[in-house]
Amino acid sequence: MPSAPVIPQLRINEQRMKADFDELALIGATAEGGINRPALSVTDVAARAWFVNRLEESGLTLNSDGVGNLSGVLPCPNPDAPIFLIGSHLDSVENGGRYDGAVGVVAALECARTIREANLTLPTHLEVINFTDEEGSWFSFLGSLGFTGQITEEDLNDSKRDNAAFRLALTRLGLSDRDVLQAGRDLSRYCGFLELHIEQGDRLEQAQAQIGVVSRIVGRSTYNITFYGEAAHSATISPHRKKDALHGAVLFLNHLYGMVDNDFPAGMVNCGDMSVYPGAYNIVPSRVMLRVEIRHEVESVLREMERYLVDVAYDCAEALKLRMDAERIIHRPVANLSEAMKATIEQVCEEMGLRYMRLPSYAGHDGQILDRFIPSAMIFVPSVDGISHSPLEYTRWESIVTGANVMLQTLLRTVYGDVHAP
Ligand SMILES: [Zn+2]
């Protein structure tokens, strides 16, 4: 084992990381300066090929699984040693930015190369990973859900969605839905997961902090709410007989937004999807479907918001003599993340003289799926003007270098310390 003073001085090679970042940003580059690399697309496949080359050139051992998670392992001499996992995602949203995901992948790769070059023999294996479809072009968190063995036959054969195109896209990676179901890893071998990511908001910038220590990843629930009324002539129907489903939906949303503002100020609500039937200006709407999403960083409060949402929908339907159906589509619990690793990130920031702050992540990340099984942590670096999922997404290069060095030091301290720290 190397002497202790060697480790605190170890820094990544920023020129080499910059060369990687710039090269990767060319794959799927758009005229607006962003990238278009939806999961399993031709450009995603090209980014994967690039990543495989980089892993091989860096002397890492290639690894992949049934959901197409791609990784390179820096092995330690003891084959039974635990594995420490670092990485992020190469896929993007449609017409997204260059930084979301890519920063975490190139930083993880650079950490592994730096450790290898310094001839450090870690007490754990180090695995650098690209998770498939983090952005949910096909299936939100496909990679981390597959990795943790949480994708079921039911998910793949959900009769409400046509999975034919997804199956076809999987063949680009040489995979079938059978492979997806068998992607689960032996999670008892993993002792930690660490991800560097852009903040995607402007709280770090506002606070003039250089590093964000992610306190929690917020929980999220998505509901389909359907109001049923009765179609009728819009002008001749007597007011006391009128059953207007859209009126119910509008009343519901109005109450819901008010609820979050007044009773759950730390919560989030969004409705970005509404369908009105039969959809004619002179017919009273007979059916309105809304998809509503709520988020909160405290699981018990998220549950309370869920109850409130359904109660309010029910009350609004009753007040207007409508019928109402509420169906929970997705529930992703709050991820509390590893306290030990959060403390280590803070200690590293103190020693490096960096301004840091704790903040929750309102966006979802693979760490929220892994955290139930593997102690996980995330490091944020500032997004200029808080813009993300846009070609205008931008993070200063010096912020990325700082974040990568904090990541390197955090992972070294974690693997040399108590590797099973909860
Ligand atoms: Zn991301």
Side-chain angles (χ1 to χ4, degrees):
M1 201 175 278
S3 59
V6 175
I7 299 173
Q9 289 150 17
L10 197 63
R11 294 290 181 270
I12 56 108
N13 178 332
E14 55 179 283
Q15 285 78 26
R16 188 170 53 187
M17 185 167 75
K18 182 80 165 69
D20 276 351
F21 181 81
D22 289 345
E23 230 178 87
L24 179 57
L26 293 174
I27 305 173
T30 61
E32 295 94 337
I35 55 159
N36 196 43
R37 269 198 319 251
L40 313 182
S41 66
V42 172
T43 47
D44 181 41
V45 171
R48 288 162 175 274
W50 174 88
F51 188 50
V52 165
N53 285 335
R54 278 290 171 280
L55 293 171
E56 279 186 332
E57 279 170 21
S58 309
L60 306 181
T61 311
L62 286 183
N63 193 8
S64 66
D65 60 29
V67 280
N69 294 318
L70 260 181
S71 52
V73 180
L74 178 63
C76 88
N78 172 10
D80 298 328
I83 306 165
F84 193 84
L85 188 65
I86 51 175
S88 191
H89 60 97
L90 291 169
D91 70 310
S92 79
V93 293
E94 296 269 351
N95 200 24
R98 302 160 144 213
Y99 298 84
D100 181 354
V103 160
V105 173
V106 296
L109 175 63
E110 184 51 38
C111 284
R113 280 192 299 221
T114 303
I115 289 166
R116 188 167 179 267
E117 237 172 33
N119 288 319
L120 288 180
T121 305
L122 300 185
T124 68
H125 306 287
L126 183 64
E127 184 169 355
V128 178
I129 196 163
N130 161 46
F131 282 110
T132 300
D133 201 9
E134 192 272 351
E135 297 290 4
S137 297
W138 300 96
F139 199 120
S140 264
F141 306 121
L142 176 68
S144 46
L145 285 169
F147 189 99
T148 52
Q150 294 186 81
I151 296 181
T152 62
E153 193 102 33
E154 247 181 355
D155 291 330
L156 294 178
N157 296 306
D158 182 351
S159 58
K160 288 185 202 127
R161 50 189 271 181
D162 180 3
N163 278 322
F166 171 54
R167 289 198 165 95
L168 195 63
L170 272 175
T171 62
R172 284 206 172 116
L173 305 183
L175 297 172
S176 72
D177 50 347
R178 290 289 101 199
D179 299 313
V180 170
L181 295 173
Q182 285 154 19
R185 307 279 185 109
D186 176 2
L187 299 173
S188 68
R189 296 215 50 208
Y190 288 86
C191 61
F193 170 65
L194 183 60
E195 178 174 6
L196 176 69
H197 204 279
I198 56 166
E199 183 202 339
Q200 304 180 280
D202 68 354
R203 283 167 295 165
L204 291 176
E205 197 177 52
Q206 292 297 324
Q208 298 193 323
Q210 295 160 286
I211 292 289
V213 183
V214 178
S215 52
R216 287 167 172 161
I217 302 175
V218 301
R220 172 167 78 106
S221 295
T222 305
Y223 278 81
N224 274 352
I225 304 285
T226 310
F227 290 95
Y228 298 93
E230 268 175 28
H233 190 293
S234 61
T236 60
I237 181 87
S238 308
H240 72 277
R241 285 182 178 270
K242 196 169 173 180
K243 293 183 178 176
D244 182 342
L246 184 56
H247 190 181
V250 169
L251 197 63
F252 163 67
L253 282 180
N254 202 19
H255 275 90
L256 189 65
Y257 294 145
M259 159 196 99
V260 174
D261 282 350
N262 297 322
D263 303 333
F264 304 96
M268 294 283 181
V269 63
N270 188 57
C271 172
D273 191 353
M274 187 193 283
S275 311
V276 180
Y277 301 91
Y281 66 89
N282 55 1
I283 305 176
V284 173
S286 58
R287 180 162 54 103
V288 174
M289 289 174 63
L290 309 107
R291 184 164 281 200
V292 181
E293 181 185 78
I294 49 174
R295 300 187 191 214
H296 203 279
E297 62 170 308
V298 180
E299 186 65 28
S300 59
V301 180
L302 181 65
R303 300 279 176 157
E304 208 181 312
M305 286 175 79
E306 287 187 341
R307 282 192 294 276
Y308 199 106
L309 180 149
V310 174
D311 285 354
V312 166
Y314 182 78
D315 290 348
C316 292
E318 199 177 48
L320 297 172
K321 300 195 212 75
L322 307 170
R323 280 193 306 116
M324 189 280 295
D325 253 359
E327 187 190 2
R328 189 167 81 172
I329 306 296
I330 294 170
H331 176 68
R332 298 259 175 259
V334 174
N336 288 315
L337 303 175
S338 159
E339 282 305 326
M341 273 201 273
K342 283 179 227 174
T344 306
I345 300 167
E346 287 175 334
Q347 189 197 336
V348 168
C349 289
E350 291 277 352
E351 286 171 27
M352 289 172 69
L354 299 169
R355 296 182 302 277
Y356 64 91
M357 67 185 275
R358 283 202 181 196
L359 76 175
S361 172
Y362 279 92
H365 295 285
D366 289 308
Q368 113 188 61
I369 306 298
L370 299 175
D371 186 56
R372 274 175 58 201
F373 307 92
I374 305 170
S376 300
M378 289 191 79
I379 299 166
F380 275 176
V381 285
S383 295
V384 173
D385 295 331
I387 298 169
S388 185
H389 284 187
S390 150
L392 299 176
E393 182 179 273
Y394 177 62
T395 291
R396 289 189 181 85
W397 183 249
E398 65 203 49
S399 303
I400 297 170
V401 172
T402 302
N405 279 320
V406 171
M407 178 172 171
L408 174 66
Q409 286 297 320
T410 302
L411 92 85
L412 287 174
R413 278 157 216 241
T414 306
V415 299
Y416 279 107
D418 179 5
V419 292
H420 289 291

